[in-house]
């Protein structure tokens, strides 16, 4: 994968990172490279602690998603990690990391 394949993702204002089943980074948009450095072609596994490695392994094995918020350097972020599939089989993970405001409206819709 390269940035020519996903020009829309390159212009997003959130970090987008895609890895394969082995955790090798296939794609990063511009924001992801700014935040994480260029790690394309390298495994993301060594960059994580044991707890995170277990979550990554579970997602790659079973599918699903992992969603949470963090605060880093005074900036609140929503982290959304989900599997991507090829022909129905888990092929890797996608992570979206987006800044969120301190106060954010919440709506209940029917």
């Amino acid at each position: 994968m390269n940035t020519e394949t996903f020009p829309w993702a390159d212009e997003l204002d959130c970090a987008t990172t895609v890895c394969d089943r082995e955790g090798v980074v296939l794609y990063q948009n511009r924001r992801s490279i700014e935040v994480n450095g260029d790690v394309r072609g390298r495994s993301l596994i060594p960059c994580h602690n044991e707890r995170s490695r277990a979550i990554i392994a579970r997602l790659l094995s079973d599918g699903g998603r992992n969603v949470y918020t963090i605060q880093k350097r005074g900036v609140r972020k929503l982290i959304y990690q989900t599997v991507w599939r090829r022909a129905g089989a888990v092929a890797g993970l996608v992570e979206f990391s987006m800044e969120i405001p301190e106060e954010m409206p919440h709506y209940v819709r029917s």
Side-chain angles (χ1 to χ4, degrees), residues 10 14 27 34-35 37 40 48 51 94 96 100 107:
D10 215 31
C14 65
Y27 173 80
E34 290 170 5
V35 172
R40 292 173 292 183
H48 292 84
R51 179 182 168 279
V94 178
F96 296 97
I100 56 175
Y107 305 100

Side-chain angles (χ1 to χ4, degrees), residues 37-52:
D38 188 345
V39 294
R40 292 173 292 183
R42 298 190 346 222
S43 175
L44 55 75
I45 305 298
C47 303
H48 292 84
N49 63 35
E50 285 303 316
R51 179 182 168 279
S52 297

Side-chain angles (χ1 to χ4, degrees), residues 34-76:
E34 290 170 5
V35 172
N36 303 305
D38 188 345
V39 294
R40 292 173 292 183
R42 298 190 346 222
S43 175
L44 55 75
I45 305 298
C47 303
H48 292 84
N49 63 35
E50 285 303 316
R51 179 182 168 279
S52 297
R53 288 177 187 178
I55 293 168
I56 291 167
R58 177 182 51 79
L59 291 172
L60 289 171
S61 171
D62 303 339
R65 63 182 176 265
N66 183 44
V67 183
Y68 57 95
T69 60
I70 63 169
Q71 186 163 334
K72 190 173 182 180
R73 296 184 200 105
V75 177
R76 291 171 40 98

